[in-house]
Amino acid sequence: MKNQYPSLLLEKAVCEFAKLPGVGNKTAMRLVLHLLKQEQAAVEAFGNSIIQLKREVKYCKVCHNISDSDVCNICSNPKRDSAIVCVVQNIRDVMAIEATQQYNGLYHVLGGIISPMDGLGPKNLEIDSLIERVAQGDIKEVIFALSTTMEGDTTSFYISRRLKDYPVKLSVLSRGVSVGDELEYTDEITLGRSIINRMPYQINEL
Amino acid sequence: MKNQYPSLLLEKAVCEFAKLPGVGNKTAMRLVLHLLKQEQAAVEAFGNSIIQLKREVKYCKVCHNISDSDVCNICSNPKRDSAIVCVVQNIRDVMAIEATQQYNGLYHVLGGIISPMDGLGPKNLEIDSLIERVAQGDIKEVIFALSTTMEGDTTSFYISRRLKDYPVKLSVLSRGVSVGDELEYTDEITLGRSIINRMPYQINEL
């Protein structure tokens, strides 16, 4: 089939947008034509926002979260409890936990989880830097807040082995039936584990 | 709720992406973090592709399709039948009809359809330039290939009135296209047949 695009510039832009995850050629075309209808300044703002982010983005040298400065707002906040570190896969998880407003400790962003299928081993992740943070001695508790998948469990297990000689408490997000879920629609593994890991009944916890 | 983004640059980029149609904050975040993982050069290529398109895009001065030159590839192709002009709403419709490989005439891109609700009247569309093209006398047939909606029908009707004193045959896509459907989502076979089976334009058939 011959080239369907009336303009090489258009084709280039559509191809770039179609590289985005979950964006096919038709959606890419729709997005590009939408942008083309906007003002020149708006299009420049759009294009430059991502270029500027990529050029100037920094990662907190303590927790490796995205930051505008060398140490992020969370790590540098004296009101946060620096004795607790929550280990997460990526910055979206930081934002998800922050949105709950239930956690006042610090974070450590691994940048992924151990996944041999994707060629991601411990050396590709911020694990050594986590061990160093713990080795400094101020951290009392490490919370594993990784995906409840084989890869997430493997990563938690690997880190727990690396930390076994340090006097630090290890904990993991509680697993069980989601709040608001019907029991009959909960998957068998979750339900089975939630029976095994049943907790003391306390009215104010529910 | 306090600002959830760990970086102002990140927030800016996410806000820009979230302005795109059909893209919410979560999707915008996913897209931005995906781009952030790519190489510097790839991100620059992405951002610049849309900026360059907006800066340098041209529109064919004959049919108003997007083009890299003053006259587009279709209008300047001597193998195409310049006696037939297919009137479409936008360039996606040109691409959709081209993809059927059933049409060998030229196009005229209106840049929209008459839609008082959206503040689009005949003066906002490339209708005068269509009349001028017809007035030059080389065009024997005008095909209306607009959406089968109230607005599309109104636009066809309006143009047909403007053209009533010219010796030009008016036709319309055969109604194999489902009423209420947008052209760009019509399957190629239906769209191709509707061009081949185009019918004489008569107001009471609409």
Side-chain angles (χ1 to χ4, degrees):
Chain A
M1 185 177 143
K2 65 179 178 173
N3 183 0
Q4 58 175 325
Y5 294 97
S7 151
L8 287 176
L9 289 172
L10 177 69
E11 181 176 10
K12 197 172 145 195
V14 171
C15 286
E16 288 290 341
F17 274 75
K19 286 181 192 167
L20 294 173
V23 176
N25 271 326
K26 282 206 170 183
T27 302
M29 187 73 187
R30 197 163 49 85
L31 297 179
V32 167
L33 290 183
H34 168 84
L35 281 167
L36 205 50
K37 276 188 200 163
Q38 310 307 309
E39 297 292 325
Q40 180 79 33
V43 176
E44 307 248 343
F46 173 86
N48 285 327
S49 71
I50 187 69
I51 293 174
Q52 198 194 1
L53 174 65
K54 179 68 184 177
R55 274 193 195 144
E56 300 178 18
V57 70
K58 290 179 182 169
Y59 294 91
C60 173
K61 64 183 182 184
V62 178
C63 73
H64 307 283
N65 192 4
I66 284 180
S67 173
D68 288 332
S69 45
D70 286 342
V71 177
C72 76
N73 294 337
I74 294 175
C75 287
S76 61
N77 184 346
K79 290 183 184 163
R80 312 256 335 189
D81 184 350
S82 60
I84 310 181
V85 169
C86 181
V87 177
V88 294
Q89 183 174 349
N90 58 48
I91 78 147
R92 272 182 294 174
D93 298 334
V94 173
M95 289 172 63
I97 294 174
E98 283 297 287
T100 69
Q101 303 192 12
Q102 298 291 327
Y103 179 66
N104 194 39
L106 306 185
Y107 292 93
H108 193 88
V109 180
L110 296 178
I113 45 180
I114 295 173
S115 174
M117 293 285 282
D118 301 318
L120 279 177
K123 290 293 163 205
N124 305 111
L125 307 175
E126 291 292 346
I127 291 179
D128 287 346
S129 56
L130 173 63
I131 310 301
E132 278 168 35
R133 282 180 81 179
V134 173
Q136 286 168 7
D138 294 332
I139 295 170
K140 306 290 177 229
E141 179 175 359
V142 169
I143 305 171
F144 295 119
L146 302 174
S147 301
T148 56
T149 58
M150 179 84 82
E151 289 83 3
D153 290 347
T154 303
T155 308
S156 300
F157 177 73
Y158 175 84
I159 296 174
S160 72
R161 300 290 293 178
R162 294 277 304 269
L163 289 176
K164 70 178 175 1
D165 295 331
Y166 295 97
V168 67
K169 181 180 159 193
L170 301 182
S171 54
V172 65
L173 291 191
S174 64
R175 294 180 188 184
V177 184
S178 299
V179 176
D181 264 7
E182 303 276 358
L183 268 201
E184 61 182 301
Y185 299 125
T186 304
D187 69 273
E188 288 177 17
I189 295 173
T190 301
L191 197 53
R193 285 193 186 168
S194 73
I195 291 220
I196 293 167
N197 300 329
R198 62 191 176 275
M199 308 174 299
Y201 181 73
Q202 286 179 288
I203 289 161
N204 56 3
E205 267 189 17
L206 293 178
Chain B
M1 188 178 143
K2 62 179 180 174
N3 182 359
Q4 59 175 324
Y5 294 96
S7 150
L8 287 176
L9 289 172
L10 177 70
E11 182 176 9
K12 196 173 146 195
V14 170
C15 286
E16 287 292 340
F17 274 75
K19 286 180 192 168
L20 295 173
V23 176
N25 271 326
K26 283 207 169 181
T27 303
M29 186 74 186
R30 197 163 50 84
L31 297 178
V32 168
L33 290 182
H34 169 84
L35 281 166
L36 206 49
K37 276 190 199 160
Q38 311 306 309
E39 298 291 327
Q40 179 79 34
V43 176
E44 307 248 343
F46 173 85
N48 285 327
S49 71
I50 187 70
I51 293 174
Q52 198 193 2
L53 173 64
K54 179 67 186 176
R55 273 190 197 147
E56 299 178 17
V57 70
K58 289 179 183 168
Y59 294 90
C60 172
K61 63 183 181 182
V62 179
C63 73
H64 307 283
N65 193 4
I66 284 180
S67 172
D68 288 333
S69 46
D70 286 340
V71 178
C72 75
N73 295 336
I74 294 175
C75 287
S76 60
N77 184 346
K79 290 182 184 164
R80 311 254 338 187
D81 185 350
S82 61
I84 311 181
V85 169
C86 181
V87 177
V88 294
Q89 183 174 349
N90 59 47
I91 79 147
R92 274 182 290 176
D93 298 333
V94 173
M95 290 172 61
I97 293 174
E98 284 297 286
T100 70
Q101 304 191 12
Q102 298 289 330
Y103 179 65
N104 195 40
L106 306 184
Y107 293 93
H108 193 88
V109 181
L110 294 179
I113 45 180
I114 296 172
S115 174
M117 295 284 283
D118 302 318
L120 279 177
K123 291 292 164 202
N124 305 111
L125 307 174
E126 291 292 346
I127 292 179
D128 287 346
S129 57
L130 172 64
I131 310 300
E132 278 168 35
R133 281 179 82 178
V134 173
Q136 285 168 7
D138 293 333
I139 294 170
K140 306 289 177 229
E141 178 177 0
V142 169
I143 305 171
F144 295 119
L146 302 174
S147 299
T148 57
T149 58
M150 178 84 82
E151 289 83 2
D153 290 348
T154 302
T155 309
S156 300
F157 177 73
Y158 175 83
I159 297 174
S160 74
R161 298 290 292 179
R162 294 278 303 269
L163 289 175
K164 71 178 172 9
D165 295 331
Y166 295 97
V168 66
K169 180 180 160 193
L170 300 182
S171 54
V172 64
L173 291 190
S174 66
R175 293 296 159 114
V177 184
S178 316
V179 175
D181 266 4
E182 301 280 349
L183 263 203
E184 59 175 311
Y185 298 119
T186 305
D187 69 280
E188 289 182 12
I189 294 172
T190 304
L191 196 55
R193 282 188 186 167
S194 70
I195 285 242
I196 293 168
N197 298 331
R198 63 188 180 274
M199 310 171 296
Y201 183 73
Q202 286 178 289
I203 289 155
N204 57 2
E205 272 188 13
L206 293 179

